Amino acid sequence: MRNVGSLARAGLPVAFGLMVLAMWELAVRVNHIPAYIVPGPLAVAEALWSSAPELIEALGVTLEITIAALLLAAITGAGIAFLLAQSRLVEQTLFPYAVFLQVTPIVTIAPFVIIWIENIFVVMLILAWMAAVFPVISNTLLGLKSADPNLKELFRLYGASRRQTLLRLLAPSALPYFLGGLRISGGLALIGTVVAEMVAGTSGTGSGLASRLLEASYRLELARALACFVLLSAAGFLLYLTLDALSQRLLRHWHESARSAEP
Amino acid sequence: MSVTASTHDEGSTAVVLSGVGKTFANGTEALAPLDLAIAAGSFTAIVGPSGCGKSTLLRVIACLAAPTSGRVERRAAASPQNTGFVFQDATLMPWATAAENVALPLRLAGEAGTDIEPRVAEALKRVGLSGFGSAYPRELSGGMRMRVSIARAIVTAPRLLLMDEPFAALDEFTRFKLNDDLLALWQQNRWTVVFVTHSIREAVFLSERVIVMSPRPGRIVEDLVVELPARRDSALRLGHAFADQCARVSQAVSLAMGEDVPERAAS
């Protein structure tokens, strides 16, 4: 019974997707819609197959920036959260700026960063980082504040140093929150990279997949553009699954969120 | 507030409170100034209705809260290493194994890793949890978690053990079993124990002395010596003598709450 259930869980979304694709292909063929307006899924698959090496190389460029930005966001976000958690005054002074970072659309900051910084890799890194860092900051900060007050008293009772309290109590308490923030940041880092690529207007060899998507759409090679889109979506999904697996692995022994992973 | 500690005066008094009062920042008077001396090696229970300041009193003794008046003198427990504290909840680190939770006070004191292992194993053995060292808290029952919490409190071989309604969240069977085991441990080790509870039966069964507190502001209204044999076991709960002692304390609590006291049946 349970096996049937899990099979259905995996199979149903796939079946649904295939059905939608089949209807799409059918609609394109029956109505004789030209490929430069709406290409059918088979044409997209064909484009994906024929230029796979080139597109995958471009995807590599995009993912490189995405992952670098995510790592940077993880480290600096956790660091900033620890800093903000040091005192209520520091938090009240600086947190509004973190919110500012979050609510400002990065597209509007991009032109300035492009003018001020020459290295295009650094520009994209900064923009992707700006998109990704806030969930890490706010979640980690929440986690640091959610440490069990009785455990805090216990640490005080046994004369724990600031460092001991940080490493043995605050950091583990904040870990599930930090990982939750990181899962959101993964997707945001990819979005940030894509936006940065599009705004920075990189092109030609060595440019990322989002640039290729724009190029293809300018030339009305919609099948190729959609192939880029499919690859980007797949990469984002994979990134989420990876971060989710990391979270499950780190928390499997103790946190409620990882309970289902128990045998 | 002043806390003094001296290693002299062994065998007499472990804790002396003189004129200790506590008023919270919002103006609530939790404790009216009170005097209390606790003999070294004794088992003292503090009972009273909810909100009578008994937990506050315990936290003041533990130096987790500063009194707003008076002085706290701890003779038997000069350093934090000499004090064990057990909370109402097990208060374990969910990310650490039972053994790592028990090792915490030793690690915070910077003890060497090789010294820690045998002491942790010994503490777990004393609370009846040998073989559960590698279990995570969520894999243990409520009673077992509380045993880990007690092992953590006794791993430093404390002179003073402070317990704040430790078994309140447990079912009665588990509670009786833990009462029996705690009593056996105390009879072996003779720590000074101060045990806060709202269960009169638990207080009478465990302790030599029961202190009854009145509702806010908390004050000591009765200080009773439990007239039961020094060596106790679970059979004691069934006897008349035990019921009589419970009735005595119960009456004192009713008086503390300003209720009409029912006539006591002839014993």
Side-chain angles (χ1 to χ4, degrees):
Chain A
M1 203 49 212
R2 184 166 292 172
N3 282 339
V4 172
S6 69
L7 202 73
R9 251 204 310 277
L12 279 177
V14 172
F16 176 75
L18 286 176
M19 194 182 76
V20 170
L21 288 179
M23 282 165 66
W24 174 4
E25 185 71 40
L26 200 69
V28 168
R29 278 170 195 258
V30 167
N31 298 310
H32 302 287
I33 301 173
Y36 56 83
I37 297 179
V38 182
L42 286 177
V44 174
E46 158 71 29
L48 188 61
W49 181 255
S50 62
S51 38
E54 195 191 336
L55 293 185
I56 284 173
E57 193 194 323
L59 177 65
V61 173
T62 301
L63 278 183
E64 202 180 316
I65 295 165
T66 303
I67 290 167
L70 184 62
L71 285 177
L72 199 63
I75 295 165
T76 53
I80 291 168
F82 276 118
L83 202 73
L84 294 179
Q86 292 311 303
S87 88
R88 193 94 191 101
L89 199 70
V90 173
E91 189 195 332
Q92 278 171 349
T93 311
L94 296 181
F95 195 73
Y97 293 96
V99 175
F100 181 71
L101 202 66
Q102 161 73 357
V103 297
T104 309
I106 54 161
V107 184
T108 60
I109 303 176
F112 307 106
V113 181
I114 290 167
I115 291 167
W116 292 331
I117 293 169
E118 208 166 340
N119 187 325
I120 200 70
F121 179 81
V122 177
V123 169
M124 293 198 286
L125 191 63
I126 289 175
L127 292 174
W129 172 83
M130 284 179 70
V133 76
F134 184 78
V136 178
I137 298 177
S138 71
N139 273 31
T140 310
L141 187 60
L142 183 66
L144 289 170
K145 289 181 180 171
S146 309
D148 183 343
N150 281 342
L151 274 174
K152 276 193 200 160
E153 294 223 307
L154 195 78
F155 273 67
R156 246 176 67 209
L157 187 78
Y158 287 116
S161 67
R162 235 180 142 73
R163 193 186 134 82
Q164 284 175 324
T165 309
L166 178 65
L167 292 180
R168 291 186 176 276
L169 176 60
L170 298 180
S173 301
L175 185 65
Y177 295 82
F178 167 78
L179 290 169
L182 209 58
R183 269 193 309 201
I184 302 168
S185 292
L188 288 176
L190 184 63
I191 293 173
T193 308
V194 164
V195 169
E197 274 183 31
M198 289 182 165
V199 176
T202 53
S203 62
T205 48
S207 64
L209 200 54
S211 313
R212 298 305 172 86
L213 193 155
L214 273 191
E215 268 172 43
S217 72
Y218 290 152
R219 296 186 198 139
L220 292 183
E221 294 171 355
L222 284 199
R224 189 178 152 91
L226 276 169
C228 295
F229 164 83
V230 168
L231 273 182
L232 279 172
S233 296
F237 197 63
L238 208 67
L239 194 63
Y240 178 86
L241 287 182
T242 308
L243 291 170
D244 191 49
L246 176 76
S247 174
Q248 292 278 340
R249 171 142 192 91
L250 289 176
L251 303 178
R252 67 191 155 154
H253 282 305
W254 63 280
H255 201 258
E256 299 302 328
S257 69
R259 193 176 270 269
S260 57
E262 283 286 289
Chain B
M1 147 200 197
S2 71
V3 177
T4 39
S6 71
T7 46
H8 310 297
D9 260 303
E10 293 286 341
S12 54
T13 326
V15 181
V16 181
L17 307 182
S18 349
V20 165
K22 173 82 182 171
T23 305
F24 290 125
N26 63 11
T28 312
E29 193 182 13
L31 287 178
L34 55 84
D35 299 310
L36 177 65
I38 291 164
S42 66
F43 200 122
T44 307
I46 301 175
V47 299
S50 297
C52 72
K54 51 192 194 298
S55 288
T56 307
L57 179 59
L58 200 68
R59 288 163 48 81
V60 166
I61 296 174
C63 296
L64 282 174
T68 35
S69 68
R71 12 187 292 131
V72 180
E73 229 180 303
R74 304 197 327 181
R75 291 181 183 150
S79 78
Q81 280 287 291
N82 274 328
T83 310
F85 199 99
V86 181
F87 295 90
Q88 180 172 351
D89 302 313
T91 311
L92 302 176
M93 300 179 290
W95 55 83
T97 61
E100 269 309 308
N101 269 290
V102 174
L104 181 72
L106 303 176
R107 293 217 187 280
L108 292 181
E111 307 249 349
T114 45
D115 296 345
I116 290 178
E117 216 171 293
R119 291 174 71 181
V120 168
E122 171 65 19
L124 281 170
K125 191 176 143 204
R126 282 159 93 184
V127 297
L129 283 183
S130 288
F132 285 96
S134 57
Y136 283 84
R138 82 164 182 209
E139 297 160 354
L140 301 172
S141 68
M144 287 161 96
R145 282 201 281 264
M146 189 44 79
R147 285 174 189 273
V148 175
S149 187
I150 293 170
R152 179 179 60 195
I154 65 175
V155 75
T156 57
R159 309 270 287 283
L160 180 61
L161 188 56
L162 304 171
M163 309 182 88
D164 187 5
E165 300 189 28
F167 309 137
L170 302 177
D171 63 83
E172 198 160 60
F173 307 106
T174 313
R175 186 177 188 144
F176 280 175
K177 181 78 181 90
L178 278 162
N179 281 173
D180 294 347
D181 292 355
L182 176 64
L183 198 59
L185 275 174
W186 173 71
Q187 279 164 354
Q188 281 164 32
N189 298 280
R190 288 284 162 171
W191 311 297
T192 308
V193 182
V194 183
F195 188 101
V196 166
T197 176
H198 54 233
S199 162
I200 291 166
R201 290 162 62 81
E202 188 172 62
V204 169
F205 179 73
L206 288 172
S207 51
E208 304 170 301
R209 178 184 179 194
V210 176
I211 287 165
V212 180
M213 291 183 67
S214 70
R216 191 166 284 160
R219 65 182 90 234
I220 296 172
V221 289
E222 196 75 68
D223 191 344
L224 303 164
V225 173
V226 177
E227 290 157 10
L228 289 172
R231 297 216 58 96
R232 302 173 193 175
D233 56 35
S234 50
L236 184 81
R237 288 199 191 88
L238 306 171
H240 283 297
F242 179 70
D244 279 348
Q245 294 297 316
C246 289
R248 260 178 83 204
V249 176
S250 184
Q251 225 170 12
V253 171
S254 299
L255 274 173
M257 296 188 71
E259 289 169 2
D260 291 332
V261 180
E263 276 300 306
R264 220 175 122 196
S267 56

